Amino acid sequence: MYDHRPTTERLIVLHARRRPLLLTAAALAAAAALGGCTSEPARPGGAAGDRGEPAVKITPQPDPANAPLPLDAYGFDTSQQKVLQQAQDILTEACMHRVGFASFKNTSTYVTAGAGARRTTSGIGLVDAEAAKKYGYRSGGLPDREAGAAQKRDPSETAALFGSQDGAPAHPGAPEGGCAGEAARKLYPRSTTGPAGAPAGNGLVDELAQQAADRARGDSRVTAAVTEWSACMREAGFQVKTPWELQQMEGTRWTGPVTSEEITAATTDVSCKQRTKLSDTWTAVLAAYQTQLVEKRKQDLDQEKKHLGEQVRFAEKVLAGGGA
Amino acid sequence: MRKAARFTAVALSAATIALGTVTAAHAGDYTENGVRIRSNSNTSAAVLGLGYTSHTITPICYQAGTVINGNKWWDKHRNNNTGVTGFSSMTLLTKWASGHC
């Protein structure tokens, strides 16, 4: 693990333990623990800039779960990701053929989300009304693993592909981590700058995305909207202080088949986020903090983007038949 | 207010699921940032690393575990960016293994 800062999981526990406190006080304590925000008392609805907060213009987002954000420009786009996956397939297959699995096809080892798949959650949980109505808090469009008999891969092929698993012997002649490991090492080389073992590619983008979200959670405009959302939920009979508390609940509360109670909770949740403008406020505030961080670290981000470009160029060379 | 009381009680008892923190339209294989990669397919297993929406994965195999969002399946995978191998709930991924562990 390369990120030692407090995680959201810890943040939510903090909220839960301090339930008798006002939401603003709990959010403030969490923000202080994260070390990213001022210790000045939060003022719900306070004007932009009075706590050193960036100015924001809150505009309606037709699809808040997929709203574009400033840091997106520094990651792979979908076409680049496709090129990387195709290159990984080619490199893995070349290696598997080399170690004795002549008919191996890497595409048989995984399935991907369909072309129509889209995100339905944001940093404040479920925000998609259509998904709430259809699936409640569940993820729609996942492969059905209950249908048909489960595939079990040949242990020898698994060892060649992924390396030794659970104490099983390695396949003779296969590289460390198997052929999949070798392909990944070629396409995602370790960082040659920064801390040892730093992740390949987007380490800085990940760090800044996390920082922006931490700051957005403590922002007075967001905490004010959260208070309104909580009141909206309470009016509908659901007593919950923050979307993060609810988001945590989503994972373990709804375990059986989807019930009408879950659908009601999910649709009320999304409707309250729209009514109180929490969805749009979150997007605007998060984008503002990302913009601040991008401006501050532009040189480093540009450097990281250059490295990503090199990764994509190597992948394109593999596709053209020159990199395996 | 019976419904409200039930809702709150569950909120207090939940503690250890992996959950996302940020929206970003990166084209990776995790649906959220900060997805926990665990040593086994349950929420009490050790966290070996974190997955971000910018990261891609190599799915290895799947097995049953703690039910997350009504789904019991967890995928063993290798995070291509960090090199960490472990399990995450399939509900937090956009690429999945085709073979059972």
Side-chain angles (χ1 to χ4, degrees), chain A residues 179-198:
Chain A
C179 288
E182 181 183 86
R185 281 193 298 275
K186 284 182 179 175
L187 286 161
Y188 300 88
R190 300 283 86 185
S191 174
T192 51
T193 57

Side-chain angles (χ1 to χ4, degrees), chain A residues 31-69:
Chain A
L34 291 165
C37 294
T38 172
S39 59
E40 198 177 319
R43 279 170 283 177
D50 62 354
R51 298 172 64 236
E53 293 174 341
V56 294
K57 187 179 177 191
I58 297 162
T59 52
Q61 294 290 334
D63 184 4
N66 296 284
L69 290 165

Side-chain angles (χ1 to χ4, degrees), chain A residues 66-237:
Chain A
N66 296 284
L69 290 165
L71 282 170
D72 295 350
Y74 296 92
F76 293 124
D77 62 30
T78 47
S79 63
Q80 289 172 323
Q81 192 204 6
K82 197 174 170 188
V83 167
L84 283 161
Q85 180 59 61
Q86 287 170 338
Q88 191 166 358
D89 291 340
I90 289 171
L91 291 172
T92 306
E93 284 168 13
C95 170
M96 287 294 281
H97 298 171
R98 196 176 73 224
V99 298
F101 296 87
S103 59
F104 175 82
K105 296 293 284 182
N106 198 47
T107 48
S108 71
T109 67
Y110 62 87
V111 290
T112 55
R118 45 190 282 280
R119 193 165 296 168
T120 58
T121 62
S122 79
I124 51 167
L126 186 64
V127 291
D128 189 291
E130 198 181 319
K133 200 173 167 185
K134 199 169 173 185
Y135 304 113
Y137 286 109
R138 316 303 172 91
S139 310
L142 299 179
D144 182 6
R145 286 175 169 166
E146 305 296 345
Q151 282 182 45
K152 187 91 178 172
R153 192 169 296 284
D154 167 32
S156 171
E157 186 182 83
T158 298
L161 183 55
F162 300 117
S164 173
Q165 298 289 311
D166 305 318
H171 184 80
E176 189 193 339
C179 288
E182 181 183 86
R185 281 193 298 275
K186 284 182 179 175
L187 286 161
Y188 300 88
R190 300 283 86 185
S191 174
T192 51
T193 57
N202 303 41
L204 181 58
V205 170
D206 302 335
E207 184 189 323
L208 298 184
Q210 193 72 54
Q211 276 181 30
D214 290 345
R215 290 176 191 182
R217 269 193 296 273
D219 186 280
S220 65
R221 282 79 51 104
V222 169
T223 56
V226 164
T227 303
E228 285 181 36
W229 169 84
S230 177
C232 176
M233 291 292 280
R234 196 164 51 246
E235 276 172 30

Side-chain angles (χ1 to χ4, degrees), chain B residues 27-57:
Chain B
D29 294 328
Y30 295 95
T31 62
E32 310 284 352
N33 282 320
V35 170
R36 283 132 181 85
I37 303 169
R38 297 185 182 272
S39 61
N40 212 331
S41 56
N42 61 73
T43 51
S44 51
V47 176
L48 306 175
L50 299 173
Y52 287 83
T53 55
S54 67
H55 295 179
T56 66
I57 67 166

Side-chain angles (χ1 to χ4, degrees), chain A residues 1-3 7-9 12 16 19 65 69 71-72 75-78 81 85 88 108-113 119 121-123 137-139 142-143 145-146 150-153 162 165-166 180 184 188 190 199-200 202 205-206 209-210 213 217 237-239 245-255 261 286, chain B residues 1 3-4 6-8 10-12 14-34 36 38 47-50 52-60 62 67-76 78 80-84 90-91 93-101:
Chain A
M1 188 175 356
Y2 60 90
D3 187 342
T7 64
T8 307
E9 195 167 275
I12 289 165
R19 284 181 72 79
L69 290 165
L71 282 170
D72 295 350
F76 293 124
D77 62 30
T78 47
Q81 192 204 6
Q85 180 59 61
Q88 191 166 358
S108 71
T109 67
Y110 62 87
V111 290
T112 55
R119 193 165 296 168
T121 62
S122 79
Y137 286 109
R138 316 303 172 91
S139 310
L142 299 179
R145 286 175 169 166
E146 305 296 345
Q151 282 182 45
K152 187 91 178 172
R153 192 169 296 284
F162 300 117
Q165 298 289 311
D166 305 318
Y188 300 88
R190 300 283 86 185
N202 303 41
V205 170
D206 302 335
Q210 193 72 54
R217 269 193 296 273
F238 298 111
Q239 194 172 328
E245 185 182 277
L246 182 55
Q247 196 178 6
Q248 177 126 345
M249 193 190 310
E250 288 165 21
T252 51
R253 170 67 181 88
W254 317 112
T255 51
E261 184 201 7
L286 182 63
Chain B
M1 195 184 285
K3 184 159 52 174
R6 274 212 315 259
F7 219 65
T8 307
V10 174
L12 285 166
T16 53
I17 62 160
L19 54 97
T21 55
V22 189
T23 296
H26 294 305
D29 294 328
Y30 295 95
T31 62
E32 310 284 352
N33 282 320
R36 283 132 181 85
R38 297 185 182 272
V47 176
L48 306 175
L50 299 173
Y52 287 83
T53 55
S54 67
H55 295 179
T56 66
I57 67 166
T58 301
I60 297 175
Y62 66 86
V67 173
I68 301 291
N69 290 335
N71 190 303
K72 69 178 179 185
W73 299 112
W74 289 60
D75 282 59
K76 185 176 186 181
R78 181 184 193 275
N80 291 329
N81 297 70
T82 64
V84 171
M90 79 177 293
T91 65
L93 305 171
T94 60
K95 189 195 289 178
W96 306 279
S98 59
H100 199 281
C101 292

